[in-house]
Amino acid sequence: MVAISENAQGRLTIQTVEIAPNTTAIRSLDWDRDRFDIEFGLQNGTTYNSYLIKGEKIVLVDTSHQKFRDLYLNTLKSLVNPKAIDYIIVSHTEPDHSGLVEDVLQLAPRATVLASKIALQFLDNLVHDPFSKRIVKSGDRINIGKGHEIEFVSAPNLHWPDTIFSYDRHTEVLYTCDAFGMHYCSDDTFDKDLEAIEADFRFYYDCLMGPNARSLLNAMKKMGDLGHIKIIANGHGPLLYHHLDVLRECYQSWSHKQANKETTVGVLYVSDYGYGERLAQAVSQGIQKSEVGVEFIDIATADVQEVNELALRSAGIVIGMPPSDNAAAHAAISSLLAVVKNKQFVGFFESFGGDDEPIAPLRKRFIDLGVKEAFPAMKIKQTPNEPLFRELQECGTDMGQLVVRARNIKQVKSIDVNIEKALGRISNGLYILTTAKDGTKNGMLASWVAQASLKPLGFTVAVAKERAIESCLQVGDRFVLNVLEEGNYKELKKHFLKRLLPGCDRFATINTQTANNGCSILCDALAYMECEVIRTMECSDHFIMYCSVEHGRVSKPEGITAVRHRKVGNYY
Ligand SMILES: Cc1cc2nc3c(=O)[nH]c(=O)nc-3n(C[C@H](O)[C@H](O)[C@H](O)COP(=O)(O)O)c2cc1C
């Protein structure tokens, strides 16, 4: 069955499908959700999945986003008399799943809300009238008749601190809410088309789950004890069924890799305050470019011991400022001051919650202990937008590069000298790549550029994974390749190697023109080409980008390209 509504919020539809005996998925399909949330980068919309299980007792697992209010409640009423609902399982309290709990409770006044202890504390603030509730934790079960027995698994800190999974022994369906989800909207109820979903599945993992890899490994261990899982009924995107084993294995191996990274940065923030979580995600995307693990921790709910352990195993700490009246968060931060070491790096950002604790006094306490600041504290005075997220990502990139610098120097020194020397005989030209994306202009000196095809005219460029500019060189992005001229490149080379603070205008002091694609043509370059990234290939520490050339001009026909001759191949 499909219910449809089209309004200012874009196309919204609801799909209801029987996924197992007595079990209906109510999927709110949000086709046009844009990428305001950082994890919606692939722009394939999203879904909010809720489930109705009709044993002798009736159970609703999660609800939907407020924007689906009428559609969702009408659909629910068409499936069941809401007064007959006995239990509402709230897997976690993020508003896109629990936004309609209060509305449903008004229709289902005798329902008992089943959730973790922390989730019920959150709900007490969200739901105005008193409601019946019961805390559930790992091992707790409810028998709802017709063979359905539901067992709960505590799975805290999976991007929200209060998560539980619920497993129906009868149907072998595991309800996981955000875990194993993806922002992908289509009419397919299940994961039939693996190729179509795999990029979104991975991207969602990297943004939301990777920074909680240790918590995820704990939750997956508990999942292993439940018995056979036939369907993973997630909270976003198609449900996992056809490729469940493969996708579960992906989570397992990505999380192992993430949790065992040699170097880690701890990101501390309060998940339900201000823009804390989105800003933390932006920083962590930058940090992860340097093959550095990120671990998130919600300092409003984590215990002090956990925070200290994270600080002890981290090379850097990023703090999203909590509200000034949150005693638990302040206790966690104070305890940090007792364990940080002077070889660690620290960075601060405001959460834009209206009542952020000021950064300056806290920053001073860290600096006085000898801890180095990885990026200038980010004071956020306007509603966070795309350029700001990008700036924060650059802060993360700086943090990532700093914490791995010592490790990288050691690795480079260990390369065989003869190989190094031989590789050094490969020579290339010198180029400046310029980009313009989401209102931000960027530029990078590059020499690992080589022509790669004749039809269409194309070339490759190798861009290190930790480069800030890498996020502006995704497939489909356009840029300009400026070719530097022999005898006339030193100033430009120096200019583009200068370190600038995140957000500074790299082009303010040089002569440029704007290309058709919006990127900068350097007036002192020998030639330029307007290009598009067609394909990328991951090669260990670099991405190789294959690009096609759309336009191009030479400014001085007699000029020759600057060439980079090296003696060793362990740098550019
Ligand atoms: C001569 C030379 C050539 C370079 N070529 C490349 C290159 O091809 N790819 C790359 O990723 N970085 C290259 N780099 C490094 C970047 O230009 C430089 O580190 C970067 O602009 C700094 O940006 P970041 O802060 O994002 O690291 C080169 C550096 C030099 C000195």
Side-chain angles (χ1 to χ4, degrees), residues 115-175:
S116 70
K117 187 172 168 194
I118 299 174
L120 287 175
Q121 283 163 4
F122 278 132
L123 278 177
D124 276 335
N125 295 326
L126 290 175
V127 177
H128 298 97
D129 293 324
F131 60 96
S132 162
K133 59 191 135 200
R134 191 200 301 172
I135 295 172
V136 288
K137 53 185 181 338
S138 284
D140 289 352
R141 295 174 183 201
I142 52 165
N143 192 330
I144 59 164
K146 296 192 188 164
H148 297 269
E149 188 185 39
I150 297 177
E151 177 169 344
F152 299 96
V153 174
S154 304
N157 300 325
L158 295 187
H159 136 81
W160 273 57
D162 55 4
T163 318
I164 52 166
F165 293 169
S166 316
Y167 176 65
D168 185 339
R169 293 207 160 274
H170 181 52
T171 54
E172 300 181 337
V173 176
L174 179 72
Y175 301 90

Side-chain angles (χ1 to χ4, degrees), residues 110 200 229 333:
R110 63 181 199 85
D200 289 278
I229 298 170
I333 293 177

